[in-house]
């Protein structure tokens, strides 16, 4: 069951009309998760997984995917500001490659430049304490990533209806 890494337009063409997507913000210590609604209009922060080792991390991730009948994974790809890929982007790609024997879920990447900074700014503006920010930042960053991908998927669907 190889992981199928698709572009967002390829994923859009393959997805059923309804079904949830799971957004991921992969960090070195945690993985933030966000869920879309079934109609793929909203992204909601879901939980933060404390990373232990790949096998356990993948088990938790795939159990969540099975529980919510996830149709695809959307992973934030941490590109450098100039668009190049650094060590974190390479680690994200390696994570997806390691999922290959474990799931047939399609995956796609979404440029996550400045996602954590944007979420951090919003939380500070909302006067959320530092401790509470630390507890939710990764899952909120995952929701930010997933929201961007959902907006693009919805634009692609609208364009397809016009053709």
């Amino acid at each position: 069951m190889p992981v199928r890494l698709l572009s967002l337009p390829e994923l859009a063409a393959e997805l059923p009309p309804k079904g949830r997507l799971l957004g991921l913000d992969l960090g070195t210590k945690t993985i933030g998760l966000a869920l879309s609604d079934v109609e793929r209009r909203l992204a909601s922060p879901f939980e933060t997984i404390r990373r232990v080792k790949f096998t356990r991390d993948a088990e938790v991730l795939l159990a969540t995917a099975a529980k919510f009948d996830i149709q695809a994974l959307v992973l934030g790809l941490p590109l450098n500001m100039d668009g190049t890929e650094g060590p974190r982007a390479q680690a994200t790609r390696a994570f997806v490659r390691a999922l290959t024997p474990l799931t047939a879920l399609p995956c796609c990447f979404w440029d996550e430049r400045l996602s954590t900074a944007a979420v951090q700014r919003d939380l500070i503006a909302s006067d959320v304490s530092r401790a509470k920010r630390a507890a939710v930042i990764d899952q909120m960053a995952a929701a930010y990533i997933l929201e961007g991908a959902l907006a693009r998927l919805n634009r692609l669907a609208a364009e397809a209806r016009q053709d």
Side-chain angles (χ1 to χ4, degrees):
M1 294 185 292
V3 167
R4 293 176 303 122
L5 184 56
L6 306 173
S7 68
L8 210 57
E10 292 169 335
L11 181 64
E14 194 171 293
L15 285 172
K18 293 190 178 193
R20 292 179 188 266
L21 303 182
L22 184 64
L24 287 82
D25 178 37
L26 290 174
T28 55
K29 297 179 183 176
T30 60
I31 302 173
L33 301 179
L35 292 170
S36 76
D37 63 322
V38 177
E39 294 183 352
R40 295 192 287 268
R41 296 175 195 262
L42 303 170
S44 301
F46 179 62
E47 71 177 346
T48 301
I49 299 171
R50 174 84 34 210
R51 294 190 77 171
V52 178
K53 64 179 194 170
F54 174 79
T55 305
R56 186 211 161 263
D57 300 344
E59 286 172 359
V60 172
L61 173 67
L62 295 176
T64 301
K67 179 178 178 181
F68 291 97
D69 194 26
I70 297 300
Q71 301 299 307
L73 305 176
V74 177
L75 292 95
L77 188 63
L79 299 173
N80 295 324
M81 291 307 293
D82 64 1
T84 60
E85 292 189 13
R88 290 301 314 139
Q90 293 167 0
T92 300
R93 288 188 183 280
F95 184 90
V96 171
R97 281 192 306 274
L99 280 176
T100 296
L102 305 177
T103 184
L105 284 173
C107 298
C108 73
F109 291 125
W110 184 257
D111 181 352
E112 71 157 87
R113 279 180 276 193
L114 300 178
S115 61
T116 301
V119 169
Q120 184 88 319
R121 208 172 28 254
D122 288 348
L123 290 171
I124 289 170
S126 298
D127 203 27
V128 176
S129 73
R130 185 181 303 260
K132 288 181 184 176
R133 284 195 313 263
V136 300
I137 190 77
D138 296 313
Q139 58 190 272
M140 291 193 68
Y144 187 90
I145 291 161
L146 187 54
E147 282 174 3
L150 292 175
R152 178 71 176 127
L153 284 170
N154 287 324
R155 283 192 304 273
L156 288 168
E159 290 168 8
R161 284 191 300 271
Q162 290 176 353
D163 290 340

